[in-house]
Amino acid sequence: MKKNLFRNLVAFIFCFMLILNINGSSILAQTPNVELYSAKMETTYADTGRMTGYYASGYIYVKNLNVNKNVTVHYTYDGYNWYDQSASYYKTLSDGSEVWSFTTPHESYTPAHQYTYNCKFAIKYEVNGNTYWDNNNGNDYFLQCSSTSFNSPYALSKSVVMLDKTGRSYNSIYGSIFMKNLAYDKVVKVRYTTDNWQTYHDVDASYNCNLGNNVELWLFNTINDGSTIPWSCGGEYAVSYTVNGVTYWDNNFGDNYSFSPTQDPNLP
């Protein structure tokens, strides 16, 4: 009798632990319904070059659970007063998930000799009567530009690497890239084409600085591969980041980035 009871108890515990493991694996394998791709602090300037204000912008991953949905950025500039800003649908990816973009309202700012301005935010996703949050594991996302304290103008979550700014000269394209600092040894490249990918060139980017939030800023200029992009050529490009044996890409959510022909440098 006691032996049977003991065997039944052991069997029950074994089955219970197996169910827990199965359920735990299922939960861990789930993809979040909403997650920040990337965000950055933007600064506005007058024609004179004087700073006039700031705002935050970024991209959000959304699992497409229904055509009717609301995606909102819940944000504060001062840490006390919180507001809601609606995000906007950007595109649908090949797996059916969606990319949404956001821009918080511009905040006027006249800096003195020293300056600090920031934005703290979380993302709210309302669909099918449910509300899902990405609040950076309870810490909220935080962007800040400061001359006196912690500087963190970029944030990355689902994205590992993102193009920041870009420009076009008469013989090259150039710009900046921000990425998660996943290890000291890394290779960052820009791959570009001017003939619809019949051929392409890879150009190394170079480290510039650490900008907080475990994010690094790198710079690139395609002239550094020893060739030039004629002023009359347009084309496409994407960014690759290889670290710990893995290569991550920023290809503008599958569309690649593009550049256009520029003005003939011989013209006045």
Side-chain angles (χ1 to χ4, degrees):
M1 181 74 174
K2 289 184 178 180
K3 288 184 178 179
N4 290 337
L5 182 62
F6 178 77
R7 288 172 183 170
N8 291 338
L9 180 61
V10 170
F12 173 79
I13 293 173
F14 177 80
C15 291
F16 182 71
M17 292 180 66
L18 181 62
I19 291 171
L20 281 180
N21 288 335
I22 292 173
N23 288 342
S25 298
S26 176
I27 291 172
L28 291 174
Q30 288 180 348
T31 302
N33 292 319
V34 60
E35 186 177 2
L36 178 73
Y37 272 114
S38 66
K40 60 183 179 179
M41 185 70 82
E42 307 271 14
T43 307
T44 57
Y45 296 92
D47 293 339
T48 58
R50 180 179 62 86
M51 178 184 167
T52 58
Y54 60 90
Y55 61 95
S57 68
Y59 294 98
I60 301 166
Y61 163 87
V62 174
K63 185 181 288 187
N64 186 15
L65 300 178
N66 195 308
V67 67
N68 297 313
K69 59 177 75 72
N70 292 312
V71 183
T72 306
V73 176
H74 187 59
Y75 75 96
T76 179
Y77 286 140
D78 59 14
Y80 301 100
N81 299 296
W82 288 82
Y83 306 95
D84 285 339
Q85 177 63 39
S86 296
S88 300
Y89 169 82
Y90 182 69
K91 70 171 297 185
T92 299
L93 301 180
S94 58
D95 63 359
S97 63
E98 295 178 349
V99 182
W100 287 55
S101 64
F102 73 90
T103 300
T104 58
H106 291 218
E107 181 77 356
S108 297
Y109 188 73
T110 303
H113 178 64
Q114 305 290 351
Y115 63 88
T116 296
Y117 51 96
N118 56 59
C119 180
K120 180 183 287 188
F121 67 93
I123 301 165
K124 180 171 62 174
Y125 174 30
E126 299 168 293
V127 62
N128 297 331
N130 298 314
T131 299
Y132 305 97
W133 286 89
D134 176 14
N135 61 2
N136 192 24
N137 297 315
N139 299 311
D140 293 326
Y141 291 100
F142 185 73
L143 304 172
Q144 178 169 278
C145 292
S146 176
S147 61
T148 60
S149 60
F150 183 71
N151 200 45
S152 53
Y154 305 94
L156 289 163
S157 184
K158 188 174 181 64
S159 289
V160 174
V161 57
M162 290 289 288
L163 181 71
D164 181 26
K165 297 179 176 66
T166 186
R168 175 79 157 100
S169 73
Y170 73 93
N171 64 356
S172 71
I173 54 173
Y174 57 89
S176 55
I177 304 161
F178 59 105
M179 71 208 67
K180 291 181 181 180
N181 181 19
L182 299 179
Y184 178 80
D185 293 319
K186 57 178 72 74
V187 176
V188 185
K189 293 179 179 289
V190 172
R191 175 170 294 183
Y192 72 92
T193 182
T194 58
D195 56 13
N196 198 29
W197 300 107
Q198 295 181 51
T199 61
Y200 63 82
H201 301 270
D202 284 335
V203 181
D204 289 325
S206 58
Y207 172 83
N208 181 256
C209 62
N210 187 301
L211 284 173
N213 278 346
N214 197 37
V215 172
E216 291 182 350
L217 185 71
W218 287 53
L219 306 178
F220 71 92
N221 192 324
T222 57
I223 197 70
N224 294 335
D225 78 336
S227 63
T228 61
I229 300 176
W231 65 268
S232 58
C233 287
E236 296 182 349
Y237 64 103
V239 178
S240 70
Y241 168 31
T242 302
V243 61
N244 296 326
V246 180
T247 298
Y248 304 92
W249 286 89
D250 173 22
N251 61 1
N252 193 23
F253 302 110
D255 291 335
N256 291 328
Y257 295 99
S258 62
F259 57 93
S260 302
T262 189
Q263 181 178 324
D264 186 341
N266 298 315
L267 292 177

